[in-house]
Structure formats: structure tokens, C-alpha cells
């Protein structure tokens, strides 16, 4: 997105400058139009007569009142085309990998939404091998789902693992406020997997201005829409970290003197996030956009406005938690949820899937009750003891993020845990399934 | 016609300088190149109109011309609305050509070319008023009344009525004359401003008849009545949408209107995909035939989201005036409130609690007041039953939308995070939830035929068992399993039996998903008999295994067809367990 000076209006007087915005008197300017202020990309966020307020993405530090303002006559755009494959770009869609400029068709970012009646119901199972996901929180193409994780958890690692196993035609990474080390980590892991040709990355690191992050999801999703809608490809979009994205939103709304609502987030946070996540879609040409995001929590608090609004928008969440019993990070079966799982389990997977999944989690919940009984110094019943033993095995064989097994194997292993520790009544699954799958005990 | 031009743009709020008079809530059009974008006046300040655009304002400019339409946001009402998918402003989504929604693409809701077979219901010379029936057409399996337009006031004489036959909706089917000799021509289409309640009926009266949903924890424990109001608050992922969609599929209603208000597009796709396939359990016809979907998903413009609930309500009022039982569902009313908040903030109004507009409670109560059971001028009745979901921020039920909605409704179906986490679905909290209709003598009287004399006493007993179980659980947690008498364990497990067998219901199992009232009554009696049977335990550790067995047999029963051989045999097994040596009285 190089500055275009051709037939564009230029202005050389700023009326006002604040930390993130400046005001210029100008004619014939469009709302959300992209401009350059002394070469810095900026966007129109308010028009009051001739007074145009511009949000300067990289900040206004050092701007002179005589800075040159050039309007481009269009909103921010991305050039889309097959050229994008394998490329690393910044928030403006410009290469940061020392490769050539991108050639392609110019598309507005943050464009219109898909007509809901033109969508298809998501129905394709995405196996990841991670049983905590595939068994309990099955993913489906066209879904949008974040990892909820504390900052010290290995969310980027799990996310890249899922991405590489997911058999997507394209993986598009939108990195917001990435540590440079994490950026390099993603590069290496995609390279090592020989997946570079099917990857596009839009990267904003902690070295870049925070407000630039606001462009990243729209850039990534515009690229995704090109591959999914135009090319009929299955696209997986990774957005990390959406909490840092939301922080940037609150910086801007604060500077614009908007009344903050909960947790000093803008009152429009729900709509702002929904606009991004709702780009996830299953199209009738077979193309799809699946969004896997990261929302970091502070101290596991999911009532904070960012995870709370996210949870209300996405189709579930994958909650990472350290399990001290086995000393590993697990996919927490209680707080995690895939809302689209019902579209595939028992249909694309074995018919006992739903019942096995529910029974296993119920027994795990019993174990947690037994645990708290134990911690409060009460005697445990025989059943309590068995649930605790079961919980340890279940965490290790199913919930841990380093598990990598196929869908039938997950069910078989869970059945054998049932048989090992419980009676049929205690597991309480439809007779049809117990008759078929209950393990024969070797005495 | 008043025109104007854009002076200012702040997101979807525009300030327009007008050259003539305009009205609050008037619709105007922004002339963006060859497109006309809809917007609504939300504030007037001298010659400045503050308007909210129902579209993205991207690339609009200072000076862009605006035309005022002279009317408020209106719904176009007539035969052909059923089975349709519309946006919040009642534009036909199915008639849009492109995959992506184009700005300014507004296909009308109704098909103006389709022929309908009209049968007149009145003769010339009859005196009528707004809402009275002139004739009827068949719309799917619904008898769709053609009415005197709601906008006509006073009495009108039918000076001409069309003969039976095929007509288009815009053909004149009657001519009406008022006492001053003024004549109007009536077609099968009428328009009504959505933000105004339709009052073309004789009176409203108290609901008294159950609206059966097949969901046990609702119908038996916390019933909602025809013409009643209820709401479902719950944190994200607790099951509001699943519950509401079960109600949409199973409820005893002639018409179901679903307003997807600022929620996920994929959830609407579920409806589009499944409703044409599924049968209405009451008529055996396809569900889609009785359904209207208003889809204003979260990525669609915020202002249209606010309009969508009013559009849905207006459609409900239209069908209610035909003497039909309408069920209106909105998911989620919090998104509507948030849309109001966004605009109020942009208008720089003084914020109320959590930055919501200060008049939020009255906006909500005025909206709910449009529902209800009415007697029409011809003595027939019609009903709008309304159930809305509420999405409280942080799951905290003390926030303004939940509190305001609680005051405006009679049934509270609070979903509990804890129950959802432990997959006890539907996660309706059995202790905190209520239906005020249980206090309506009309209702209790009406249930006598269906459920026998002491239904209310039985419901109370179930509730008591749950309450006692909860208390027992708290005691056991404090004192330990052997720190309390066996009775505490029994009380706890009695509550668990009621919970697992009756309250929990698998929305995804073909049989369990819907329990007709007859079966609910049977199960209540069966359960109470089981729980009345004294069972002797010698140690607390015998209680749990025993009741787990009981629960298991009951759950198997729930999965079997009512009174099928398998159902009966599980029932007999339960009787045997109760009579077994472990259970000496
Ligand atoms: N009755 C039920 N039986 C089985 N599973 C259920 C039931 N109700 C909810 N669930 C599970 O919980 C998930 C979330 O439910 P739902 O989408 O209805 O939540 P919600 O309260 O509407 O959330 P949000 O506020 O985010 O829209 C479902 O996808 C399903 O997996
Ligand atoms: Mg929902």
C-alpha cells in the first residue's frame, strides 16, 4: 500500500494534533478513507463539516502542524492474488520478508458480510489428533473459536500444531502484538513443516505501533475471503492475540473521548469483535474460513469484558489449563466448548461419540468433587477413589495437549477407562452403546 | 419533500442539514452515487437531523444529499410472509442475488406478482373497524385473514367487496366508506410503523392456557402460558440458543417468529437448513411452513439490529389480529440494548448504569407490553407469547438489561454456569427460576383435565425435594459423608433423581427432546411413587449406588418411546429394584 500521489488532494495544515489523531480541513473526503500524514498511514474516523479527524496508526509523535496530508480516495485495501502465498506482510499488506511487492487485484479490507441465507451449514470435521479437542470439543470448518489462556501458557504452540494438522489449503496468520521471538517461532515452524507455500502472515510485533494492530484482522480476513470465495479453498485463519487487539480498540476510543463501558472497553466492543469473527463461513462453493484465535486472560478471569464478549460471539472456546496431577497443560473439559460439534459428532465420527464424551466429562466432574472433599479432610468413598484414579488416566490419555490419536482410538481408550474403574450403571450410557462397546474385563 | 445533505459523520451517526420539516423516527435515504441507503431520524435539533444509518457509512462524504421519505420505519404486511427470511428491516434476504450483502439492496418482503385465492367474509353494507376481517386466503396451512388496515380509525362501511377468486396482493379487494363519505380502497397489503403497537383489538386479558413446549422443566415446573412472557438470561455457552430453538421446534403455536438479533449467522443457518426438513409435532407439516425468520446477525449494521425486534413484534401483532397463537422468540435482547447504547453514546447523551441509556427500563417494558392475549372485535382470541434471551455481561444478573427484563416478564428461566459446566442441560436453575403463572387460578383450573386434581401440589413436592436436596448437600459438604445421618444422603439423592430424570433433558435425542404433557404427568407420578417408597439403608455408602441404578433405569426410559415395550420393562425394573432385599421397608 504505497502512497498514491496521483490526482490526489494535498493539504499542509493540521488544525489539531492529539496523541493518536489529528484534524485537517479538507473537502470531498470519505468516511474511513485512507490518508497519509507526513507519510504515516492514517484513516478518517470523524467528519464534521470540513473538519476531518484522522487516526494516525503509528501515532502523532513529532508531527508538525505543517505536515503534508494526502488522501488516497479509498479505504484501506489489500492486493490479493496467488502472490500472497508464502509471504510475510505488515499491517498495511506490505512485505516484511524482503521479497518483491505483491501484485494482484485491489480489494477493500473490512468489506460487506455474507448474506446468511447464502451460507452453508458447517459440516466438515477438522481432526487435530488432540483428543481434548477432537473428542470433547470437536472443530468444524467454518467455525470461529478462540483459545482462552493465561499469558504463560503455550497457546501459540498448540495453535500452530492444530493449524498444521488441520489439512487446510491455506493458513493465514494474523499476529497482533507478537513478541519478535514468537514471530520467528511461527516462521520456523511453518518452514520446518514444509508448509510455507500455503501460508500468508500479517504481522504486527511489539516493536510496531499498537494502533496498527487494528488493521491486522481485516487484512488477514480479506486475504482469506479471496482464497475461500474466489478460489473455493479451505482457509484457516489464526488470530493471536485478540486481547491485544481489543486493547488497541480501547486506546483509540479513549482518545476519541467515547464513554467507556465495562473494563474501560468501548461500548461497541461486541460489534467490533463480531464483525471480525463473523467472517468465519462455510460457502456453497466448498470454500470455507475457519478462525482460531487466542484471547489471553488475566488470572483466568473470563468475566473480563474481552473474554466475555468474545465468548458471546465465538462458537465456543478452548480453555488451556495446567493440570498439576499429571504436570501437563490440558484442554479443560469444563470451561471448553465447541458449539458446532453437534454438527459432526456421531455423523462424521462413531455414533457413540456424544454419549461417551458426556459420560467421561461427568465422571471427571465427580472426581473434582471428590478432590475437594479430600482437600477438606473428609473420608472418600470407594466411588470417590475410583473417580480420582480415573481422572488421572483421563487427563493423561485424553485431555493433555501432547496427545495425538485418531477419533476411534479416543473413544476406545475412553471406553476402556470406563471399564477399568466403573460399572455400567455408574457410567449410565444408552444400553445400545454399552452392549456394543463395554470392554470385556480380563480378570 | 424535505431534502438535505450530510454535515457530519461519526461512525453510523450522521448529522444532516434539512431544508424543511422532518419527523422524529422518519426514514430518510442517503443518495450515495446510484444507491439509496436507508437511515432513521433519531434526534432533531433545529434544522439538523441526527440520523442513524442502517448501512455502513464507509466513503460517505460531507455534502452527500439526503431525501426524507415522510414516513416512519414500516413493515409491509400481507400474505406470503410465512417461511421467509428477512433482515431487521424486513427486506427479503432470499431475494438478494449476491453472496455478499450489497449496500442499498432492499428486495421487498412480499411477492407482488403471486396470485392468492381470496374468499370474502363480509357482505356490502357491514360496518367494520381496523383489524376486522374482510376475507381470507390460504397461506401455507394458515388461514390468513385480510383485514381492515390498522391505520384506519373509526367505523367504515363496506361499500364494495371483491368476489371469491384469484388476486394479487396489490389488487383492490374492498372499498370502505366512513361516516363522512370518505372512501378508501383496500388491498391485501398494508403498512404499519414498527415502533408503534398495533391496538386493533377489543381488550387484553390474563393468560390462562399452557403453551406446551415439551420441555419438562418448563411445562411442569415453570410453565409459560399462551400470551405470556418469559426470558432466559445466562452467561455465554450456557444453552440459551439451544433452549430457544427447542422451544421454536416444539411449542404449541400457529406461527413462530424468530428474531436473531445480533447473534451468530451460523445459528440462523441451522434454522434455514433444519426447519424445511423437520416436522411440526402439532400438525405434522414442515416446521418452516409456520415460521418466519428475522435475521440481523451480529455483523449486520447495528441500527438495523435495534429495528429487528420491532419488526418481529409487528409481524406478531399482524398474525395475532387473525386470531392466531403467535410465539415470538428473540435472541438476544441484550444485543438490542447494546445497539441502543452505542447510539446513545454517539449522541453524547448522559449515560445511565453501565453506559446504557437512562430510559432503557421503559424501552424494554414498553416492548414487552405489546405481547399478550387479546380478544378481537369479533370475540375471537389471539396471542403473542414472547420469550427473549438475555446475555448479561460477565454472567452477572444484576446488570441493567437483566433487571429491566425481569420487571417486564412473568417467567424467569435463569441458566446457571455451574449446571452448564457439569452438562446438566437444559441448564435452567431449578431453584432460582420461576413462573408467576403458577399463581394464576385460571391456569390451575385449566390444567385439571390434563393433569388431574392435585397437579400443583405435586409440582410443589418436586420443588421441595430439590430444595431439601440442596440443603442436604450443603450439610454433607460441611460435615462430611459420615458426619450426617443417612437421611441427608437420601434427601440429596432424591433431589439428584428428580434432577437427572426429570429436569435434565437431552435436546439432541429424538425422543427425549420432547415430552408431551401426558408423558410428563406420567413421569411425575412415577417418580413421586418411587421417591415415596421407603428404602432402608444400613450405611450412607449404600445410598448412592442404589439411586445411581434407579437414575440409570429412568434415563433409559426417557430414551424410549412412551409405553413401548422397552419403556415398560425399564419401569418394571425400577419397581423390582425398589422391592429388592436392599430395600426393606
Ligand atoms: N439441552 C442441551 N443439551 C445438550 N447440549 C446442550 C444443551 N444446551 C446447550 N448445550 C451445549 O451448549 C452449547 C452452547 O449452547 P448455546 O449456544 O445455546 O449457548 P448460549 O447460551 O446461547 O450462548 P451465547 O450467549 O454465547 O449465544 C451448545 O452448542 C451445546 O453443545
Ligand atoms: Mg446463543
Amino acid at each position: 500500500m504505497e502512497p498514491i500521489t496521483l490526482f490526489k488532494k494535498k493539504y499542509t495544515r493540521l488544525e489539531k494534533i492529539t496523541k493518536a489523531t489529528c484534524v485537517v480541513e479538507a473537502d470531498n473526503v470519505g468516511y474511513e478513507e485512507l490518508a497519509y500524514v507526513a507519510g504515516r498511514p492514517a484513516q478518517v474516523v470523524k467528519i464534521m463539516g470540513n473538519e476531518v479527524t484522522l487516526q494516525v496508526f503509528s501515532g502523532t509523535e513529532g508531527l508538525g502542524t505543517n505536515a503534508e496530508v494526502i488522501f488516497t480516495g479509498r479505504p484501506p485495501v489489500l492486493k490479493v492474488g496467488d502472490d500472497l502465498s508464502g509471504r510475510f506482510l505488515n499491517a498495511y499488506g506490505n512485505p516484511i520478508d524482503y521479497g518483491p511487492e505483491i501484485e494482484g487485484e485491489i480489494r477493500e479490507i473490512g468489506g460487506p458480510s455474507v448474506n446468511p441465507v447464502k451460507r452453508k451449514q458447517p459440516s466438515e470435521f477438522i481432526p487435530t489428533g488432540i483428543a481434548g479437542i477432537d473428542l470433547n470439543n470437536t472443530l468444524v470448518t467454518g467455525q470461529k473459536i478462540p483459545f482462552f489462556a493465561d499469558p504463560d501458557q503455550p497457546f501459540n504452540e498448540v495453535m500452530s500444531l492444530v493449524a498444521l494438522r488441520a489439512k487446510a489449503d491455506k493458513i493465514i496468520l494474523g499476529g497482533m502484538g507478537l513478541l519478535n521471538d514468537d514471530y520467528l517461532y511461527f516462521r520456523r515452524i511453518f518452514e520446518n513443516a514444509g508448509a510455507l507455500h500455503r501460508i500468508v502472515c500479517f504481522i504486527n510485533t511489539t516493536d510496531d505501533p499498537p494502533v496498527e494492530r487494528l488493521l491486522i484482522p481485516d487484512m488477514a480476513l480479506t486475504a482469506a475471503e479471496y482464497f475461500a470465495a474466489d478460489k473455493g479453498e479451505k482457509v484457516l485463519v489464526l488470530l493471536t492475540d485478540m486481547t491485544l487487539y481489543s486493547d488497541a480498540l480501547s486506546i483509540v476510543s479513549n482518545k476519541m473521548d467515547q464513554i467507556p463501558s465495562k473494563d474501560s472497553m468501548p461500548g461497541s466492543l461486541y460489534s467490533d469483535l463480531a464483525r471480525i469473527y463473523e467472517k468465519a463461513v462455510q460457502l456453497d462453493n466448498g470454500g470455507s474460513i475457519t478462525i482460531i484465535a487466542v484471547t489471553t486472560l488475566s488470572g483466568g478471569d473470563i468475566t473480563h469484558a474481552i473474554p466475555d464478549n468474545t465468548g458471546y460471539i465465538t462458537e465456543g472456546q478452548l480453555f488451556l489449563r495446567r493440570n498439576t496431577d499429571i504436570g501437563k497443560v490440558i484442554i479443560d473439559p469444563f470451561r471448553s466448548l465447541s458449539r458446532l460439534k453437534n454438527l459432526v459428532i456421531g455423523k462424521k465420527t462413531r455414533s457413540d461419540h456424544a454419549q461417551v464424551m458426556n459420560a467421561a466429562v461427568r465422571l471427571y466432574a465427580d472426581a473434582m468433587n471428590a478432590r475437594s472433599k479430600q482437600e477438606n479432610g473428609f473420608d472418600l468413598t470407594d466411588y470417590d477413589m475410583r473417580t480420582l484414579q480415573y481422572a488421572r488416566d483421563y487427563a493423561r490419555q485424553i485431555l493433555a495437549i501432547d496427545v495425538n490419536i485418531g477419533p476411534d482410538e479416543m473413544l476406545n481408550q475412553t471406553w476402556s477407562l470406563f471399564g477399568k474403574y466403573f460399572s455400567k450403571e455408574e457410567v449410565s450410557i444408552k444400553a445400545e452403546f454399552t452392549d456394543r462397546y463395554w470392554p470385556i474385563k480380563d480378570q | 419533500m424535505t431534502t438535505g445533505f450530510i454535515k457530519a459523520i461519526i461512525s453510523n451517526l450522521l448529522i444532516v442539514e434539512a431544508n424543511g420539516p422532518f419527523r422524529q423516527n422518519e426514514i430518510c435515504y442517503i443518495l450515495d452515487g446510484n444507491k439509496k441507503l436507508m437511515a432513521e431520524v433519531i434526534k432533531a435539533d433545529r434544522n439538523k437531523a441526527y440520523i442513524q444509518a442502517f448501512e455502513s457509512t464507509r466513503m460517505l462524504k460531507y455534502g452527500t444529499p439526503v431525501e426524507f421519505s415522510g414516513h416512519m420505519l414500516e413493515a409491509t404486511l400481507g400474505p406470503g410472509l410465512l417461511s421467509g427470511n428477512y433482515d431487521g428491516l424486513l427486506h427479503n434476504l432470499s431475494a438478494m442475488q449476491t453472496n455478499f450483502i450489497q449496500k442499498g439492496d432492499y428486495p421487498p418482503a412480499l411477492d407482488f406478482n403471486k396470485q392468492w385465492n381470496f374468499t370474502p367474509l363480509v357482505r356490502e353494507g357491514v360496518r367494520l373497524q381496523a383489524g376486522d376481517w374482510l376475507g381470507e386466503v390460504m397461506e401455507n396451512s394458515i388461514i390468513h385473514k385480510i383485514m381492515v388496515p390498522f391505520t384506519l380509525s373509526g367505523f367504515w362501511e363496506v361499500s364494495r367487496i371483491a368476489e371469491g377468486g384469484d388476486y394479487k396482493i396489490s389488487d383492490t379487494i374492498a372499498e370502505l366508506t366512513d361516516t363522512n363519505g370518505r372512501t378508501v380502497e383496500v388491498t391485501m397489503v398494508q403498512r404499519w410503523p414498527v415502533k408503534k403497537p398495533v391496538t386493533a383489538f377489543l381488550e387484553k386479558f390474563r393468560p390462562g392456557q399452557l403453551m406446551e413446549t415439551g420441555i419438562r422443566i418448563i411445562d411442569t415446573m415453570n410453565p409459560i402460558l399462551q400470551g405470556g412472557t418469559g426470558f432466559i438470561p445466562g452467561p455465554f455457552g450456557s444453552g440459551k440458543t439451544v433452549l430457544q430453538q427447542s422451544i421454536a421446534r416444539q411449542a404449541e403455536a400457529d406461527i413462530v417468529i424468530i428474531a436473531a438479533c445480533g447473534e451468530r449467522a451460523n445459528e440462523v443457518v441451522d434454522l434455514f437448513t433444519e426447519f424445511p426438513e423437520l416436522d411440526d409435532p402439532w400438525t405434522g407439516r414442515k416446521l418452516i411452513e409456520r415460521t418466519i425468520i428475522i435475521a440481523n446477525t451480529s455483523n449486520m449494521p447495528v441500527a438495523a439490529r435495534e429495528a429487528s425486534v420491532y419488526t418481529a413484534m409487528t409481524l406478531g401483532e399482524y398474525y395475532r389480529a387473525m386470531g392466531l397463537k403467535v410465539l415470538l422468540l428473540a435472541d438476544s435482547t441484550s444485543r438490542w440494548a447494546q445497539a441502543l447504547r452505542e447510539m446513545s453514546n454517539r449522541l453524547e447523551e448522559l449515560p445511565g448504569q453501565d453506559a446504557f441509556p437512562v430510559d432503557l427500563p421503559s424501552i424494554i417494558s414498553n416492548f414487552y407490553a405489546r405481547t399478550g392475549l387479546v380478544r378481537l372485535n369479533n370475540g375471537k382470541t389471539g396471542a403473542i407469547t414472547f420469550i427473549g434471551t438475555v446475555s448479561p455481561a460477565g454472567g452477572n444478573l444484576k446488570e441493567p438489561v437483566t433487571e429491566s427484563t425481569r420487571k417486564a416478564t412473568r417467567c424467569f428461566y435463569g441458566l446457571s454456569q455451574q449446571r452448564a459446566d457439569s452438562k446438566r442441560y437444559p441448564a435452567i436453575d431449578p431453584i432460582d427460576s420461576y413462573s408467576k403463572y403458577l399463581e394464576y387460578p385460571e391456569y390451575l383450573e385449566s390444567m385439571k383435565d390434563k393433569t388431574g386434581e392435585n397437579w400443583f401440589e405435586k409440582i410443589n413436592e418436586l420443588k421441595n425435594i430439590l430444595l431439601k436436596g440442596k440443603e442436604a448437600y450443603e450439610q454433607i459438604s460441611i460435615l462430611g459423608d459420615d458426619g450426617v445421618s443417612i437421611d441427608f444422603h437420601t434427601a440429596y439423592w432424591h433431589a439428584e433423581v428428580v434432577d437427572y430424570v426429570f429436569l435434565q433433558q437431552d435436546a439432541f435425542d429424538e425422543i427425549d427432546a420432547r415430552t408431551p404433557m401426558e408423558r410428563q404427568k406420567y413421569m411425575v407420578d412415577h417418580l413421586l411413587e418411587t421417591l415415596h417408597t421407603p428404602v432402608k439403608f444400613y450405611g450412607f455408602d449404600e445410598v448412592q449406588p442404589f439411586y445411581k441404578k434407579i437414575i440409570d433405569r429412568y434415563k433409559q426410559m426417557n430414551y424410549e418411546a412412551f409405553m413401548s415395550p422397552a419403556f415398560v420393562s425399564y419401569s418394571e425394573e425400577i419397581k423390582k429394584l425398589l422391592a429388592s432385599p436392599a430395600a426393606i421397608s
Side-chain angles (χ1 to χ4, degrees), chain B residues 56-343:
Chain B
S56 152
T57 54
R58 177 174 276 188
M59 290 314 280
L60 290 182
K61 293 176 176 171
Y62 167 56
T64 304
V66 173
E67 282 174 10
F68 291 81
S69 71
H71 58 77
M72 307 202 330
L73 177 62
E74 290 174 336
T76 310
L77 305 167
L81 289 167
L82 286 180
S83 318
N85 307 314
Y86 311 100
D87 73 4
L89 308 172
L90 206 61
H91 300 129
N92 190 348
L93 288 170
S94 308
M96 294 180 186
Q97 299 303 319
T98 50
N99 268 346
F100 290 88
I101 296 179
Q102 303 299 321
K103 274 198 205 180
D105 186 8
Y106 302 139
L110 297 174
D111 182 346
F112 283 81
N113 291 316
K114 188 173 167 163
Q115 301 267 350
W116 297 86
N117 193 274
F118 174 79
T119 310
L121 291 174
V122 292
R123 267 170 311 180
E124 281 155 19
V126 184
R127 255 162 52 104
L128 299 174
Q129 40 183 325
D132 288 351
W133 303 343
L134 293 164
E136 61 193 29
V137 300
M138 281 304 286
E139 182 183 15
N140 297 344
S141 55
I142 296 290
I143 301 171
H144 185 119
K145 306 293 180 190
I146 307 301
M147 295 172 275
V148 175
F150 299 144
T151 46
L152 294 186
S153 56
F155 285 93
W156 296 77
E157 195 178 294
V158 179
S159 38
R160 199 174 63 77
I161 180 86
E163 284 170 22
D166 288 347
Y167 299 89
K168 291 183 189 168
I169 53 172
S170 52
D171 292 340
T172 303
I173 50 92
E175 208 177 78
L176 306 175
T177 311
D178 75 357
T179 42
N180 304 324
R182 192 161 67 100
T183 303
V184 293
E185 291 189 338
V186 177
T187 66
M188 291 197 261
V189 201
Q190 57 167 317
R191 290 176 214 280
W192 182 259
V194 297
K195 289 192 179 164
K196 276 193 183 168
V198 173
T199 52
F201 50 78
L202 201 61
E203 58 168 352
K204 275 201 179 166
F205 61 109
R206 267 163 62 109
Q209 298 290 326
L210 179 72
M211 185 191 73
E212 192 180 308
T213 66
I215 298 163
R216 298 184 287 258
I217 190 168
I218 296 182
D219 295 349
T220 294
M221 310 290 285
N222 304 288
I224 185 153
L225 306 189
Q226 296 287 358
T229 49
F231 79 118
I232 310 172
F236 65 78
S238 55
K240 297 181 290 296
T241 306
V242 170
L243 180 60
Q244 220 183 28
Q245 293 196 357
S246 303
I247 297 172
R249 282 194 299 269
Q250 300 172 182
E252 184 185 5
D254 300 317
I255 307 279
V256 179
I257 301 170
I258 304 173
C261 171
E263 290 288 308
R264 303 173 185 85
N266 275 339
E267 289 171 351
V268 191
V269 176
D270 287 345
L271 303 175
F272 295 155
T273 319
E274 287 164 12
F275 276 34
E277 307 295 324
L278 297 173
D279 294 332
D280 174 354
W282 299 91
T283 60
R285 304 179 69 104
K286 293 295 173 223
L287 275 180
I288 196 72
E289 292 188 31
R290 67 168 196 182
T291 309
I292 298 176
I293 298 166
I294 306 284
N296 209 262
T297 55
S298 57
N299 53 344
M300 288 157 93
V302 172
R305 191 196 294 171
E306 189 239 0
S308 68
V309 293
Y310 291 100
T311 300
M313 181 62 80
T314 305
L315 297 188
E317 289 171 329
Y318 178 61
Y319 281 98
R320 175 174 66 184
M322 298 174 201
L324 297 170
K325 289 184 287 211
V326 180
L327 169 63
L328 193 63
L329 300 167
D331 186 12
S332 146
T333 60
S334 293
R335 306 298 163 223
W336 159 44
Q338 285 179 345
L340 293 171
R341 174 168 73 183
E342 282 186 33
M343 283 326 290

Side-chain angles (χ1 to χ4, degrees), chain A residues 108-292:
Chain A
E108 278 184 24
I109 67 165
S113 32
V114 176
N115 182 345
V117 305
K118 302 281 186 186
R119 285 171 175 258
K120 284 279 155 286
Q121 192 171 42
S123 62
E124 231 177 289
F125 170 39
I126 306 180
T128 70
I130 302 173
I133 296 177
D134 295 0
L135 179 66
N136 293 341
N137 304 289
T138 326
L139 301 183
V140 187
T141 56
Q143 183 165 14
K144 45 192 177 289
I145 190 165
F147 281 99
F148 279 0
D150 280 334
D152 59 339
Q153 272 154 355
F155 45 83
N156 284 336
E157 286 77 354
V158 186
M159 194 165 75
S160 52
L161 213 58
V162 170
L164 288 172
R165 288 189 196 154
K167 299 199 177 67
D169 297 323
K170 285 284 176 313
I171 301 171
I172 300 184
L173 171 68
M176 290 154 280
L178 272 189
L179 292 173
N180 204 48
D181 288 0
D182 287 336
Y183 161 51
L184 296 175
Y185 167 82
F186 276 113
R187 264 192 95 131
R188 200 189 61 226
I189 216 131
F190 291 151
E191 247 166 44
N192 289 351
L196 268 190
H197 60 285
R198 50 188 186 102
I199 282 181
V200 191
C201 296
F202 294 88
I203 303 290
N204 157 282
T205 65
T206 44
D207 299 333
D208 302 319
V211 179
E212 283 183 7
R213 285 172 207 160
L214 296 179
L215 292 168
I216 295 273
D218 285 344
M219 284 285 169
L221 290 160
T222 304
E225 278 180 345
Y226 166 73
F227 289 113
D230 295 33
K231 300 274 165 168
E233 295 187 1
K234 291 194 219 6
V235 184
L236 182 65
V237 176
L238 312 176
L239 298 174
T240 176
D241 166 357
M242 288 300 284
T243 298
L244 297 178
Y245 171 85
S246 311
D247 287 343
L249 279 178
S250 81
I251 295 174
V252 171
S253 84
N254 197 291
K255 297 272 156 56
M256 300 277 297
D257 296 325
Q258 282 166 15
I259 308 157
S261 67
K262 202 166 167 268
D263 299 317
S264 48
M265 283 291 143
S268 58
L269 182 65
Y270 177 84
S271 306
D272 296 336
L273 292 176
R275 207 177 47 76
I276 294 170
Y277 283 115
E278 279 295 326
K279 291 277 181 188
V281 66
Q282 177 75 54
L283 295 165
D284 61 1
N285 66 355
S288 62
I289 299 176
T290 309
I291 301 179
I292 300 185

Side-chain angles (χ1 to χ4, degrees), chain A residues 27-33 43 45-50 73-76 108-122 142-144 148 225 229 259-262 267-271 274-275 278-284 302-303 307-309 311-315 317 333-337 339-343 355 358 361-363 365-366 369 373 376 378-381 383-384 424-426 428-431, chain B residues 7-12 15 56-62 85 93-94 96-102 234-238 240-241 261-274 295 297-300 302 305 335 338 341-342 344-346 348-349 351 354-355 390-395 417 420-423 425 473 476-482 500 504 506 508-509 540-541 544 548-549 551-553 555-556 559 570:
Chain A
D27 292 325
N28 203 28
V29 169
Y31 192 70
E32 292 183 4
E33 184 171 338
Q43 193 173 14
V45 289
K46 186 171 174 180
I47 294 176
M48 271 288 169
N50 295 324
R74 61 188 188 198
E108 278 184 24
I109 67 165
S113 32
V114 176
N115 182 345
V117 305
K118 302 281 186 186
R119 285 171 175 258
K120 284 279 155 286
Q121 192 171 42
Q143 183 165 14
K144 45 192 177 289
F148 279 0
E225 278 180 345
I259 308 157
S261 67
K262 202 166 167 268
S268 58
L269 182 65
Y270 177 84
S271 306
R275 207 177 47 76
E278 279 295 326
K279 291 277 181 188
V281 66
Q282 177 75 54
L283 295 165
D284 61 1
I302 59 159
T303 63
D308 186 50
N309 278 285
Y312 276 121
I313 293 162
T314 53
E315 282 142 354
Q317 63 281 335
F334 302 130
R335 309 318 299 275
S336 303
L337 174 71
R339 296 162 189 245
L340 300 192
K341 64 176 186 270
N342 296 313
L343 297 173
Q355 294 244 328
N358 285 331
V361 174
R362 212 177 331 105
L363 294 167
D366 285 349
N369 287 338
K373 247 162 105 176
N376 290 323
F378 295 126
D379 291 342
L380 298 184
T381 63
Y383 177 77
D384 291 335
K424 288 184 190 176
E425 281 94 17
E426 285 166 338
S428 194
I429 284 181
K430 254 189 189 178
Chain B
K7 285 211 64 157
I9 310 174
I10 310 133
S11 191
N12 74 329
I15 304 173
S56 152
T57 54
R58 177 174 276 188
M59 290 314 280
L60 290 182
K61 293 176 176 171
Y62 167 56
N85 307 314
L93 288 170
S94 308
M96 294 180 186
Q97 299 303 319
T98 50
N99 268 346
F100 290 88
I101 296 179
Q102 303 299 321
F236 65 78
S238 55
K240 297 181 290 296
T241 306
C261 171
E263 290 288 308
R264 303 173 185 85
N266 275 339
E267 289 171 351
V268 191
V269 176
D270 287 345
L271 303 175
F272 295 155
T273 319
E274 287 164 12
T297 55
S298 57
N299 53 344
M300 288 157 93
V302 172
R305 191 196 294 171
R335 306 298 163 223
Q338 285 179 345
R341 174 168 73 183
E342 282 186 33
S344 156
N345 289 182
R346 276 181 202 126
E348 297 177 359
E349 291 174 350
D354 292 358
V390 170
S391 316
Q417 179 80 62
D421 284 350
S422 51
K423 317 278 181 224
Y425 293 121
Y473 180 74
I476 299 170
S477 312
I478 298 168
L479 301 170
D481 283 334
D482 45 10
Y500 273 97
Q504 291 175 45
D506 188 342
F508 301 103
D509 182 85
F540 74 84
D541 49 352
Q544 173 181 353
K548 283 219 154 165
K549 266 187 213 148
I551 289 172
D552 177 62
R553 299 306 185 277
K555 278 178 72 180
Q556 307 292 351
Y559 288 128
Y570 286 121

